[in-house]
């Protein structure tokens, strides 16, 4: 005779057994899990949404020290996500993704919601350790922050000799790589970079165990990770992106390039097939002219930011109307001055280039993407 045991998960609020999911949240330094049906889950989401919209997402922060150094428990959270300065008349800023979960790290290892979900379903997961980035060891990981994956584990850290790896547990046999996963990976790194230096790892870095993280990653690359983090201490990355206003840039080109203006006039009202060669030639001239303006405007941007940035990297255009896309490494105390520089430039380019200032974010362009074997 065989005994079959079935596990039913019930809503902790109403007792319903239909469509029950485990929800995880953090408050006042403690992590909580609760099983909720769809109705009560939505109710919790509506209540939390009001506060989440006004909150800052915190993943890790510096630990306070007894000797009057860095704060030990409560640290003022700097801006997270992305701040945008958009030029179309006046410059407007938009804050990036921000979620609330501010607390200090528990000394005990947090058990991710993936474990609860697997237990409830009675299934067996192939667990792996997902690594987001490398940090100094004097940090505290916020409680209750879910990581990537369909049933995400909570963020925690693994430490070795002055270094920490920001990790969460994942089902390595499951699907990973959805738009939500990619967004979560980047949001965690960017929110962390707003507080402490971080070396970002490539999306999808999974190791077999915490011991493998400590030995094969942190110990094996200790010297280069430590040196790179020292270079990023007190610094963070911002990016400036600008896109040409189409009518404005075409007007500039045609007013200054007689050959292009002549071709434009010649093909107006003509049969597309009959004027095909002229249209191709006009397209080439316009592309070359926009490229020349892009190089000129990029030089102007870098010159304007030269006195407030530590370093800069020009990024390749992703669209034919991209005007500028430059990453800047800034000292934290230079951020306000950098914002003023971009506001002035946005005003100067008003009606010609729409400008955005994005950051703070992880130093993707200056730290390199840390290497590891998955």
């Amino acid at each position: 005779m065989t005994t079959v045991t079935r596990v039913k998960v019930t809503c902790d609020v109403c007792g319903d057994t239909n469509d029950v999911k485990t929800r995880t949240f953090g408050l006042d330094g403690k992590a909580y899990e609760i099983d909720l049906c769809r109705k009560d889950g939505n109710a919790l989401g509506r209540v939390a949404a009001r506060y989440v919209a006004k909150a800052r997402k915190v993943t890790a922060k510096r630990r306070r020290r007894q000797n009057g150094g860095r704060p030990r428990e409560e640290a003022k959270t700097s801006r997270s996500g992305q701040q945008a300065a958009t030029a179309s008349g006046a410059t407007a800023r938009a804050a990036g993704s921000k979620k609330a979960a501010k607390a200090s790290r528990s000394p005990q290892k947090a058990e991710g919601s993936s474990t609860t979900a697997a237990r409830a379903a009675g299934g067996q997961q192939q667990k792996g350790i997902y690594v987001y980035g490398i940090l100094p060891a004097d940090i505290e990981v916020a409680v209750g922050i879910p990581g990537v994956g369909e049933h995400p584990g909570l963020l925690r850290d693994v430490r070795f000799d002055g270094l920490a790896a920001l990790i969460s547990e994942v089902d390595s046999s499951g699907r990973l790589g959805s738009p939500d996963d990619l967004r979560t990976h980047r949001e965690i790194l960017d929110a962390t970079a707003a507080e402490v230096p971080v070396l970002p790892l490539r999306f999808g870095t999974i190791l077999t165990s915490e011991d493998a993280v400590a030995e094969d990653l942190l110990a094996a690359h200790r010297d280069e990770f430590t040196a790179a983090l020292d270079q990023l201490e007190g610094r963070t990355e911002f990016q400036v992106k600008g896109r040409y206003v189409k009518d404005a840039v075409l007007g500039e080109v045609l007013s200054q390039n007689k050959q292009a203006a002549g071709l434009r006039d010649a093909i107006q009202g003509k049969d597309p097939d009959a004027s095909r060669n002229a249209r191709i030639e006009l397209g080439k001239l316009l592309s070359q002219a926009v490229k020349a303006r892009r190089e000129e405007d990029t030089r102007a941007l870098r010159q304007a930011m030269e006195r407030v940035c530590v370093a800069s990297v020009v990024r390749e255009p992703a669209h034919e109307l991209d005007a500028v896309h430059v990453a800047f490494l800034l000292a934290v105390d230079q951020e306000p001055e950098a914002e003023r520089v971009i506001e002035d430039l946005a005003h100067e380019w008003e009606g010609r280039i729409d400008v955005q200032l994005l950051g703070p974010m992880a130093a993707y362009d200056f730290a390199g993407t840390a290497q590891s074997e998955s």
Side-chain angles (χ1 to χ4, degrees):
M1 182 176 180
T2 302
T3 301
V4 178
T5 302
R6 294 185 178 180
V7 178
K8 277 191 174 183
V9 181
T10 61
C11 176
D12 291 331
V13 174
C14 69
D16 194 356
T17 59
N18 293 323
D19 198 15
V20 176
K21 295 182 180 179
T22 300
R23 308 295 290 268
T24 304
F25 60 96
L27 183 66
D28 293 338
K30 297 180 181 179
Y32 300 89
E33 286 186 348
I34 186 170
D35 299 323
L36 297 175
C37 64
R38 183 190 297 271
K39 177 182 176 181
D40 288 307
N42 290 340
L44 175 63
R46 286 193 296 272
V47 172
R50 173 185 174 189
Y51 300 97
V52 169
K54 302 292 185 181
R56 296 174 296 273
K57 184 173 183 177
V58 178
T59 57
K61 62 185 179 182
R62 263 330 193 338
R63 179 173 294 171
R64 286 181 185 256
R65 294 178 177 173
Q66 299 283 0
N67 60 6
R70 293 190 185 97
R72 181 179 178 186
E73 292 182 355
E74 289 297 324
K76 185 176 181 181
T77 305
S78 61
R79 293 161 301 157
S80 63
Q82 295 183 331
Q83 291 183 329
T86 303
S88 181
T91 302
R93 293 190 186 87
S97 174
K98 297 187 278 186
K99 299 178 183 178
K102 182 177 180 180
S104 57
R105 179 176 177 266
S106 167
Q108 300 294 327
K109 293 180 181 177
E111 179 179 325
S113 59
S114 57
T115 305
T116 304
R119 189 186 305 125
Q124 187 68 33
Q125 290 186 337
Q126 297 180 19
K127 297 174 184 175
I129 302 300
Y130 188 99
V131 189
Y132 300 88
I134 312 301
L135 301 82
D138 61 336
I139 54 99
E140 295 175 341
V141 177
V143 171
I145 301 292
V148 300
E150 186 177 0
H151 302 293
L154 301 181
L155 291 187
R156 58 183 190 268
D157 63 3
V158 172
R159 302 186 184 198
F160 177 85
D161 198 11
L163 295 173
L166 189 61
I167 68 166
S168 67
E169 194 174 88
V170 294
D171 177 8
S172 57
S173 65
R175 296 172 60 183
L176 193 66
S178 69
D180 283 344
D181 289 333
L182 293 166
R183 182 172 58 252
T184 298
H185 175 89
R186 180 147 192 150
E187 285 181 353
I188 287 172
L189 286 170
D190 290 347
T192 302
E195 295 290 333
V196 296
V198 56
L199 303 177
L201 269 69
R202 288 192 176 96
F203 177 84
T205 299
I206 301 176
L207 279 77
T208 56
S209 67
E210 293 189 22
D211 286 342
V213 174
E215 297 169 8
D216 300 338
L217 182 61
L218 297 181
H221 301 278
R222 179 190 175 279
D223 290 344
E224 53 260 52
F225 286 166
T226 300
L229 286 170
D230 287 344
Q231 291 294 317
L232 293 178
E233 187 66 51
R235 298 168 175 173
T236 189
E237 178 172 331
F238 281 76
Q239 291 183 15
V240 178
K241 298 179 68 174
R243 177 164 289 192
Y244 289 117
V245 177
K246 185 175 181 179
D247 290 343
V249 72
L250 290 180
E252 284 182 14
V253 172
L254 293 173
S255 66
Q256 298 173 17
N257 190 313
K258 294 182 178 179
Q259 184 181 1
L263 285 171
R264 188 273 313 269
D265 294 339
I267 65 176
Q268 283 186 344
K270 298 292 181 64
D271 180 76
D273 291 334
S275 59
R276 181 174 180 273
N277 291 337
R279 292 178 186 276
I280 292 175
E281 183 64 23
L282 177 59
K284 290 180 180 179
L285 290 174
L286 293 176
S287 179
Q288 292 170 359
V290 170
K291 180 180 178 182
R293 276 162 173 72
R294 181 183 297 123
E295 293 173 351
E296 181 180 341
D297 292 326
T298 297
R299 282 195 298 270
L301 169 61
R302 297 182 80 181
Q303 289 172 1
M305 289 287 288
E306 189 174 15
R307 61 186 176 84
V308 297
C309 76
V310 177
S312 64
V313 174
V314 178
R315 293 188 139 206
E316 291 297 318
H319 187 275
E320 61 183 4
L321 289 177
D322 282 354
V324 294
H325 190 180
V326 183
F328 295 97
L329 187 64
L330 303 178
V332 172
D333 59 3
Q334 287 293 331
E335 290 178 17
E337 180 60 25
E339 291 179 0
R340 284 191 288 270
V341 170
I342 298 306
E343 287 175 359
D344 291 343
L345 199 58
H347 181 73
E348 179 182 335
W349 285 346
E350 179 182 348
R352 179 174 174 265
I353 301 176
D354 292 330
V355 181
Q356 288 183 307
L357 174 63
L358 308 175
M361 62 182 66
Y364 305 99
D365 292 276
F366 303 98
T369 301
Q371 302 291 323
S372 70
E373 294 181 2
S374 55

